[in-house]
Amino acid sequence: MSIITVQIGQCGNQIGEKLFDTIISDSLEFKPNKNQTNLNYYKTLNENYVEDCKERFFSYCDNSYRQDKLYARSILVDMESKVVGKLLNQESNYIFRSSNSYTQKKGSGNNWSYGYCINAPKSSQKIEDIIRKETERCDRLSSFLICMSMAGGTGSGVGSYYTEFLRDNYPRTSLVNTCVWPFSTGEVILQNYNFLLTLNKLYENSDAIILLENDILHQICKRLSPHKEITFDDLNRIIGHKLASILQPCLGDGQQNNYLNQVITDLCSHNDYKLLSLNNVPIMSQQSIDYSTFKWNSLYKNARQLLYTGGYMDEGLKWGLDGVSNKTLALSLFARGLNDSDFEHTDLVNGFFDKTYMNKHFSTKAFGGLWPCPLKLWQQSRPFNNYEKSLSLLSNSQLPAFKIDMLIEKAWKMFSSKAYLHQYIRYKGFKEENLLNAFIFTEKLVKNYKNL
Amino acid sequence: MSQIQVKQIISSFCKILEYFNFSKITPEDLRLAKFNKPNAAPKMWKLLFELVNYLKTRNKLDNQLISNEFDSLGPEKVVKFLKEELLKLGYSCDDFFKLKSSFDENDTSSREILISIGWLISSYEIIKLFIANSNSLLDEEYFKENALMAMNLSEVKKEVDISKSHIMSSSSKDLYIYLNNLKLFDGTFKNNLNSLHSCLSEKVSLTHKVHSETSGSFSCLELHLLKNPDQIEKYEKILEKKIEVQNNFLLWIKNEEPFWTWMESVLDEKISENELNLINSDEVNTESFDYLFAQVLNENVNKAKKVECEFDKNVKKLEDLQHDIKSKIYSDKQQELDRQQLTSLKHFEKEIIQKFQNILLDDNLGYSKCNNRSISDTFEPRLNYIQNKSTNDSQKIKNMTNITEINRKLDEKVKCLENIFDKLKQTATTKCEQISSELEDCYVVYNE
């Protein structure tokens, strides 16, 4: 079961790089604890884990030359050649196939319309070939993971185009978009328009949208290293960690594998609700991990608090009971690391997410109660990415909708004075109505979530 | 025809039965049954029981399960069950239905059962059925055909019930919630179908890999065995068994004749014995064939009438309800249907359709399915033949008239039942169509 990552735009490519870096370092550079008992068991556990991981994310060379090398199952698309070129040239434990990349000279100028209407159709013939070849390398394709930003022109415009493209050409394969939400202070002047147009297109075609906010990532980095200047590289590293923590092998009840399409089935089966937030407990800097010990008890406690207060990290968590209450439709928990007590994970989950908690925070008016299976637990006793124990929460909840609401307001102010609109209409195939429809659609989406 | 040949064909028949998980039976048992020897009866009853069950399920028998069922039912119920089932299958030999229901050591009913077994094998072509079902682990189709059967049906049903209750419980409150839940399940189904599809394409691509790597000379199973030599022995055994049964099939197809001549000799045995016992044959049998048949038929006719009556009532009720709702909608200018009314209407509609389907699927009404004519064609001459030989003239005439009388009555009843059945089916289909079209009108009104 494999996942093909489609990296679109500068941001998408950088995220993809960090994702594969995390996966490969987590898989290959694992050293079991020295005072570990039962070493043989962990050895086979680790071997299976690495084997599974390779099958998911990497393929081998087609011909005999360099057969031992791992090739990322990844497709690199950018309208400029700088970032992709750098990725192709790096020497690491794995390689991006140069035949899997598409670049050209002229970027999309931060304009969704230019990316969607001009750049993307121009490249579609070549990219179709690339995608087809890559899918043929997989015995079984679970899903496409599309990495993109929502601010720039290439990520948002070309990304929207290819999400639509993949949906048309691979209707039976699930599509998951990982979208980076721009800084609210603004990286690009057109970002709010771009955001709405992208969200509209993705909602039509994608199965799930994982939203990652630069604002929050920045705050996390700030806490991890308060005295350092924070770069995009740091933010992307966090994203890589987050994504890998849900994509690496894990088992559900009945030895079910956490293939991405399976995870998505649990979380986003309803068409109107497919915004996902991704949180991790704990998040720490590399230095402090070595000096910390964790208890599952406290991790679950933090996770549960994090979920309903809508926080982003276990440090500085709000413990008050009032304030915003975040309704969640469905949650997938990924528990990685050794069990430390007599309690099984299922007991812990049932203890912390008990009936009253579920009824308060998972039960919705729109569905007349809980979803059929609102909470899913995935387990893996092999530790992940140097964390002795870690917990990831992938949830379909109200929180993103509130933020989108604020963004709509800003964008509407611009739109009502028709600011920058000519930049979009310039390109053939884009009309003012498109943007207006995106507004209407997004407002409906927000309303759906708010009325839960 | 030599004696050895008969023995050979009978023993191959026994082996075929054994391959299909029937309880072990030997040619000697059959021989004992032919001469009505004691001890043979229980085995014959069991064989008949298993055959009937096999015919019902068309699947490899689970020997343990059948044995348990056989033991737990007890002689009386087993015999009653078999009599009823054979009746439904179209068996009409009077003597069989007169048999006592016990597995007594000294019971001398085994020949009669053997005859019925012979009839079952010939008229339902059981050996052909066996041949059609003789897939084993070695065949590629085996998994395809057995996948559904291996699935735990009760578990699936439970799952479906849970989903159903989830949708239904919310539906009673609010249409919006109902729709939301439906959409949710729709999404889940879609996703699950997609992952099934991906499994299938994986299988195809892996099979392709196997064939292209071995340039098509190995099947997946062969490659699997090459990789796991320790399993070869297991498959060898399966293969040997399969070859054996195929040989037996072959033998049967070529030399079916002696078996049937032997069966005829069983019949002759019965006739000659009947002549001997003629003098003290004035026993009164309550549970004879015509009595049983008539009883079951009567039951069915009554049942059909009752169902028809109930159906009429229900339709009337439904029409009234519809009329009510329609008039209310038009008179109130409300343009909206009461939520409760709509659900009750739908519920009612479903209930009726369900009831009707139950009738259609009812096993006991399956008489019309089995061909009455062929039964009389195949067996009556033999019966007559027996009667001819066994009785003096006056009794013979009496019997003949009796048989024709019974046949006439039965034909009448069957026809009557079929008529009712057809009529019911027709009216129901038209009613259902009418109702659903009219209901659609109502829904439209509601939606507006």
Side-chain angles (χ1 to χ4, degrees), chain B residues 99-116:
Chain B
L99 290 179
K100 269 180 266 166
S101 41
S102 71
F103 296 162
D104 201 357
E105 288 281 304
N106 306 316
D107 193 5
T108 51
S109 56
S110 47
R111 183 188 303 131
E112 207 44 62
I113 310 166
L114 183 61
I115 292 171
S116 70

Side-chain angles (χ1 to χ4, degrees), chain B residues 308 311-312 356 416-430:
Chain B
E308 193 189 12
F311 180 74
D312 271 352
F356 194 69
C416 166
L417 189 63
E418 272 172 8
N419 274 345
I420 292 178
F421 199 61
D422 280 348
K423 217 171 77 189
L424 204 58
K425 204 170 167 183
Q426 236 168 29
T427 46
T429 1
T430 49

Side-chain angles (χ1 to χ4, degrees), chain A residues 126-139:
Chain A
K126 279 184 186 160
I127 291 180
E128 187 183 354
D129 277 355
I130 295 175
I131 295 172
R132 190 173 42 76
K133 274 185 195 146
E134 190 56 44
T135 51
E136 279 165 8
R137 285 192 193 103
C138 305
D139 286 333

Side-chain angles (χ1 to χ4, degrees), chain B residues 429-440:
Chain B
T429 1
T430 49
K431 275 286 177 228
C432 277
E433 273 166 15
Q434 197 188 336
I435 287 161
S436 61
S437 76
E438 288 198 18
L439 276 178
E440 251 163 44

Side-chain angles (χ1 to χ4, degrees), chain A residues 28-40:
Chain A
L28 301 183
E29 294 161 19
F30 171 68
K31 291 178 248 28
N33 225 332
K34 274 176 214 122
N35 43 18
Q36 188 87 65
T37 54
N38 215 348
L39 237 124
N40 268 338

Side-chain angles (χ1 to χ4, degrees), chain A residues 327-330 358-374 452, chain B residues 166 169-170 173 177 180-181 184:
Chain A
K327 282 251 186 219
T328 307
L329 283 169
M358 295 300 276
N359 278 335
K360 203 167 163 202
H361 301 292
F362 279 70
S363 169
T364 49
K365 274 189 298 224
F367 289 89
L370 296 172
W371 269 26
C373 74
L452 277 179
Chain B
H166 196 91
S169 70
S170 43
K173 291 174 219 150
I177 294 172
N180 260 340
N181 277 306
L184 183 65

Side-chain angles (χ1 to χ4, degrees), chain B residues 289 293-294 297 406-415:
Chain B
F289 160 71
F293 199 177
L297 265 181
I406 288 166
N407 269 346
R408 202 180 53 75
K409 268 188 193 166
L410 288 181
D411 271 355
E412 242 170 51
K413 283 212 169 149
V414 168
K415 236 173 230 159

